[in-house]
Amino acid sequence: MFEFLFKRQGGDKPAGTGGEQPEGSAAPAQSVPAASGAPTPREQQAEQLKHLNGDEETAVAFILSSDFSELRLAAAELVHSRAQLERVHTAMRNTDRRVAKLMQSRLDAIRHHEAELRRGQEALAHARALLDDQLLTPNHVAELDRQWAVVTAPELAPEFDGIRAELGKRLEAQVQLQRAMIDRLAALRQLEAAGLDAAAFGERLESLSREQAAALVAPGHASLPRALVAEFATEQARLQASLATIEQDRAALAAREAALAGWQAQPVTELKAELLRKEWQRLPALPSNGPGAQLQRRFDELLASLPQEVRKPKEPRRPEAGAAKPPKPQNKGADQHFLDRLDAMEAALQQGSLGTAAELDKSLKESKDKGMRLTPAQLDRLNHVRAELKRLSDWARWGGNVSREELIKSVEALPTQNLAMGELAKKVGSMRERWKALDSLSGAAPRSLWERFDAACTAAYAPAAAHFRHLADERHANAARGQALVEEAQAEIARLESGEADWKHVSGTVQRLRTAWSHLGAIDRKDRKRLDQLFGDALNTLQRPLEQQRKGEMAVREALIEEALALDPHDRHAVDALRHLQARWQEHARALPLERKAEQALWQRFRAACDALFAQRKEQAHVADSERRAHEAAKEALSARLEAAALETTPATAGKLLREAAAEWAAIGPVPRAHEARVEKRYHAAVAAVQHHADVARRAAGLALAGAVRDKLRLIQALENALVNPDAHTNPSDWRGRWDALLPLEGGYEPVLRQRFDAALAALEGDRSAYTRQLEANREHLMHELLRLEIAAGIDSGAEFARERLKLQVEVLQSSLKSGHKTGQKPGQGTGHDLGSGLRALLSLPALLDARTETRVEHLLTRVAKDGR
């Protein structure tokens, strides 16, 4: 399973080149040195690489067979097709990481490019669909632009740019078409107020109609607002009807003008009023505007200018005998009330109020039927007004049918407008009201139109009817849920009365029932009132005992707040007590929740008390932290002073400095716990540095003193040896000069050695033999004291003095045991003061010493000096 560990770099080994060699076979070619002048395998494969000539197949074969990674990498630059990249990547994945990484990166690039091409093709398909869609909106094009913005496919860009340009042109054409539609509708609305004559009016209306017809078959006609198209059609039909009325009025005016001109050209004696009136009434009806009234006045003036016909009075019946003679009837014409109604009828016709005019005409007929006799002029006026009413009613009936056709189209278009159900119902209702209004204004509609309109309204209202049926079903279901909530509340009342209710459960039930009732939805009014009454009574029955319990719970919460406010923030157990209060609060809150408003108010007060306690403790902690930081700064300053004084201190001032620093350190308060270890470490390091520099200075001074003592001791020993040797130099002045040349000693050594030197110098000038005998006599005593001092100082005396040293140690031990020794001090070990005194006593003892003893004395002197003794 671990064969891959033994594969050579570059892939599987060719047969016969790896593993164990068969017996009798030659060694591998790699292990045989190349012959002089023969190319190496690397050179051969490099030469093959040069002759690939960009052939991908050959490059892949070379990569799979090459033993050198850099040559494989160079050949890999020629591989670009997906199949070959996958082949090389599979072969080199566990063999050559660089080649595999290169192949993987190119495969990833190919996959990314293919993904971008797919996204680009999807965007192009979307663009083509928009190009084929009749209803193109700017939102569609904006969405297409956002989709293309994330696509990186340069080869698809020209095609997309072409389609996008076409879409832009379509949008621009639609905008221009819509703007032209708006302008055309505005021009159509202003056409009637332009003051044009009939010919110009008709020509302009025809031009606008042709433009509208062309716009309705244009490529972008689907983008035209339907409301504007319908409004243009309605206004166009109205103006065409108005144009027809104008043409008829013009024809009527022309006919009556011609007739009136002919009559005025004839002699007055040839004209008869009755014939003229009949001819005048047979002519087309005059318009109610100024020219018609003017012609009517001219005709009335013509009639007034005619001579009155003399009619033969009829023979009256002879009255019976004794009967009264009947009065002669007189035709006084219509009364003022009749004339006022006639004026009102003319005014209604001028304003286009046909319904009002029809009602007035009906009242006028009733007045005339009652026997009212009109004058000829009044009769002509009434006939003229009624003719105008009939003409306008005919046009109103025609215009009403046109309006009904448009109304039917509007109703048929309602299902495609995706209106809300309420708005759809209002629309259908308003359409039916408009139909009724048209019936009252322009007369009853044909049955076929009514059936079409009713079928369209029924089809348009069908979704709204289904929706309203669904709402009715929902109202019934909501009523059933409301009844279930009432029953649940009544069941909870029964449990509460039996004493089995849990107040937390009761509170949750009340809250849940109230929430469910608020989300119940619409209910029929007759059921709503009854259910509201039942639910309100049940909820009040549950609320009363619950409110009593909540009042007691609120008192408990108030007590907890008072306890929280009474806690002393300086008490170390205040936080534990507060946490206990918070736990009690949570227990009470879980046992019986209060009303949300009351719960929030009490909780805010309790939390404010807790926050105040914590704030006070935090303030105290802040003050304590400030003090600790000040203490930290003071201790850091003390450590800094010790660090600065460490290099300048002397053994004499070190002790005082350290004592003062220790006293000041003890007087400073605590520091922050997080920095305590660091501050302590720095202080102790500074104290150690001062102590170290003092010890170094003391040791240096001791060594200097030891050197000076050694020099004077050697001078004294040389003088004593000169006393023993008769051939030695014995000039006292030379010895004194040499003594004076040496440095004076400190630590009590100068008087001791000076006395010994003076004694030897006095013997030099006096009795030399007696002093020599003293030197010989003191030798043994000096050796004994030297050995004792070495034992006290812990210095090895040498193997030749081992027996004497042991014997002396035993004596010292016995003496110490008899006299007692200090606690912690080993028997036979003296203090520094004893060693110094013993050393000075040893140095004051004149004796002749050999070189070994002198060395031991100097060693003892150096040890005592190093130890500062």
Side-chain angles (χ1 to χ4, degrees), residues 314-335:
K314 294 181 180 181
E315 294 183 359
R317 286 188 308 172
R318 292 181 178 180
E320 295 180 359
K325 187 177 181 179
K328 185 178 181 179
Q330 294 180 358
N331 186 9
K332 298 181 180 180
D335 57 5

Side-chain angles (χ1 to χ4, degrees), residues 332-600:
K332 298 181 180 180
D335 57 5
Q336 187 62 35
H337 180 63
F338 184 90
L339 295 178
D340 291 341
R341 283 181 289 174
L342 183 61
D343 294 337
M345 183 176 177
E346 289 180 345
L349 289 176
Q350 290 179 0
Q351 295 174 359
S353 301
L354 297 181
T356 304
E359 293 294 333
L360 293 172
D361 182 53
K362 184 177 180 181
S363 64
L364 292 176
K365 285 182 180 179
E366 292 176 353
S367 299
K368 188 177 179 183
D369 292 340
K370 290 180 180 179
M372 181 181 295
R373 296 176 60 84
L374 304 179
T375 63
Q378 292 174 347
L379 183 62
D380 289 341
R381 181 182 175 190
L382 178 62
N383 292 335
H384 171 71
V385 171
R386 284 178 174 172
E388 180 67 16
L389 175 62
K390 182 179 182 303
R391 183 181 68 82
L392 293 179
S393 298
D394 293 339
W395 278 111
R397 186 176 296 107
W398 180 82
N401 291 336
V402 173
S403 299
R404 289 187 182 97
E405 290 286 348
E406 295 297 331
L407 195 60
I408 292 172
K409 291 181 181 179
S410 300
V411 174
E412 290 174 346
L414 285 178
T416 63
Q417 296 179 4
N418 297 325
L419 299 175
M421 294 299 103
E423 186 177 358
L424 178 61
K426 291 181 180 179
K427 282 278 188 182
V428 174
S430 65
M431 295 296 182
R432 289 188 179 274
E433 292 296 330
R434 288 174 60 186
W435 185 276
K436 293 179 180 178
L438 288 175
D439 286 345
S440 63
L441 292 177
S442 58
R447 184 173 183 81
S448 59
L449 282 180
W450 162 247
E451 290 177 351
R452 283 179 57 196
F453 176 75
D454 185 63
C457 288
T458 303
Y461 188 73
H467 174 70
F468 293 139
R469 284 195 300 271
H470 176 69
L471 292 181
D473 295 339
E474 284 187 350
R475 287 194 295 271
H476 292 310
N478 292 337
R481 285 197 295 270
Q483 184 64 39
L485 292 177
V486 170
E487 294 174 357
E488 184 179 357
Q490 292 173 351
E492 188 66 27
I493 292 173
R495 284 193 295 271
L496 182 62
E497 292 175 350
S498 64
E500 301 177 357
D502 179 15
W503 292 114
K504 180 180 179 181
H505 177 72
V506 172
S507 175
T509 302
V510 169
Q511 183 65 28
R512 180 173 53 80
L513 290 176
R514 186 179 295 165
T515 303
W517 191 266
S518 64
H519 294 86
L520 194 57
I523 301 176
D524 289 335
R525 185 176 299 176
K526 60 180 180 178
D527 295 331
R528 186 76 184 193
K529 185 175 181 180
R530 177 181 60 84
L531 291 175
D532 282 341
Q533 182 66 31
L534 293 175
F535 183 77
D537 294 342
L539 203 62
N540 291 333
T541 305
L542 286 175
Q543 281 285 102
R544 282 192 291 270
L546 182 61
E547 289 299 327
Q548 294 296 330
Q549 292 293 328
R550 282 177 171 171
K551 287 180 180 179
E553 185 63 27
M554 290 178 66
V556 174
R557 304 284 180 89
E558 291 285 352
L560 291 176
I561 294 172
E562 294 299 330
E563 292 182 27
L565 292 173
L567 290 176
D568 184 8
H570 301 281
D571 187 3
R572 58 182 300 183
H573 302 293
V575 175
D576 296 334
L578 186 61
R579 288 175 180 169
H580 179 64
L581 291 178
Q582 290 175 344
R584 289 173 56 191
W585 185 282
Q586 294 298 330
E587 291 176 1
H588 285 282
R590 286 191 294 268
L592 178 58
L594 304 177
E595 288 288 342
R596 182 176 182 83
K597 185 176 181 181
E599 183 80 37
Q600 288 294 331

Side-chain angles (χ1 to χ4, degrees), residues 694-733:
D695 292 342
V696 170
R698 186 182 298 107
R699 190 176 296 111
L703 292 176
L705 178 60
V709 171
R710 184 179 60 250
D711 293 340
K712 289 196 174 184
L713 180 60
R714 287 178 180 178
L715 179 60
I716 293 172
Q717 289 174 352
L719 178 57
E720 291 175 345
N721 288 330
L723 290 175
V724 179
N725 187 5
D727 298 331
H729 180 66
T730 57
N731 188 359
S733 59

Side-chain angles (χ1 to χ4, degrees), residues 75-302:
E77 297 293 336
L78 303 177
V79 182
H80 296 283
S81 65
R82 182 167 187 168
Q84 299 297 345
L85 287 171
E86 291 178 348
R87 179 183 176 189
V88 175
H89 179 264
T90 303
M92 297 290 108
R93 183 170 52 192
N94 297 324
T95 304
D96 194 332
R97 181 176 296 178
R98 293 190 297 172
V99 175
K101 188 174 181 180
L102 178 60
M103 299 297 104
Q104 183 65 51
S105 63
R106 290 185 177 179
L107 286 172
D108 292 341
I110 292 175
R111 295 189 186 100
H112 177 71
H113 184 64
E114 291 177 351
E116 291 297 322
L117 284 178
R118 286 195 298 271
R119 292 169 63 182
Q121 292 292 347
E122 293 175 358
L124 281 176
H126 186 198
R128 296 189 191 99
L130 291 180
L131 196 60
D132 297 336
D133 193 358
Q134 293 184 354
L135 183 59
L136 181 65
T137 64
N139 292 337
H140 294 160
V141 179
E143 181 64 27
L144 176 64
D145 291 339
R146 284 193 295 270
Q147 184 180 359
W148 181 259
V150 297
V151 176
T152 55
E155 58 270 26
L156 300 179
E159 184 178 359
F160 178 81
D161 293 340
I163 297 177
R164 181 62 180 82
E166 291 295 328
L167 292 175
K169 291 179 181 178
R170 280 192 57 187
L171 284 179
E172 184 65 26
Q174 289 181 5
V175 171
Q176 294 178 359
L177 192 64
Q178 293 171 1
R179 290 177 179 173
M181 176 69 194
I182 295 172
D183 297 340
R184 191 160 49 251
L185 181 59
L188 191 65
R189 289 170 178 169
Q190 298 174 359
L191 186 60
E192 194 171 13
L196 300 177
D197 56 4
F201 185 88
E203 184 179 354
R204 180 58 177 162
L205 181 61
E206 183 63 25
S207 175
L208 292 175
S209 300
R210 287 195 301 270
E211 292 178 4
Q212 179 68 8
L216 292 178
V217 297
H221 69 280
S223 64
L224 293 175
R226 296 181 180 179
L228 296 183
V229 173
E231 187 175 356
F232 186 91
T234 303
E235 189 70 14
Q236 179 184 4
R238 188 183 68 80
L239 291 179
Q240 286 177 349
S242 177
L243 178 62
T245 302
I246 293 174
E247 291 176 352
Q248 288 182 0
D249 291 345
R250 185 177 60 179
L253 288 173
R256 295 205 177 213
E257 179 71 28
L260 187 59
W263 292 336
Q264 289 177 347
Q266 293 180 10
V268 175
T269 57
E270 297 179 2
L271 299 177
K272 295 183 178 181
E274 290 296 331
L275 294 177
L276 292 181
R277 289 192 185 96
K278 293 179 180 179
E279 290 294 335
W280 186 261
Q281 290 178 358
R282 282 196 294 269
L283 291 175
L286 286 172
S288 58
N289 52 10
Q294 185 177 3
L295 284 177
Q296 184 64 36
R297 286 195 301 272
R298 289 174 59 190
F299 179 73
D300 293 340
E301 292 174 357
L302 178 63

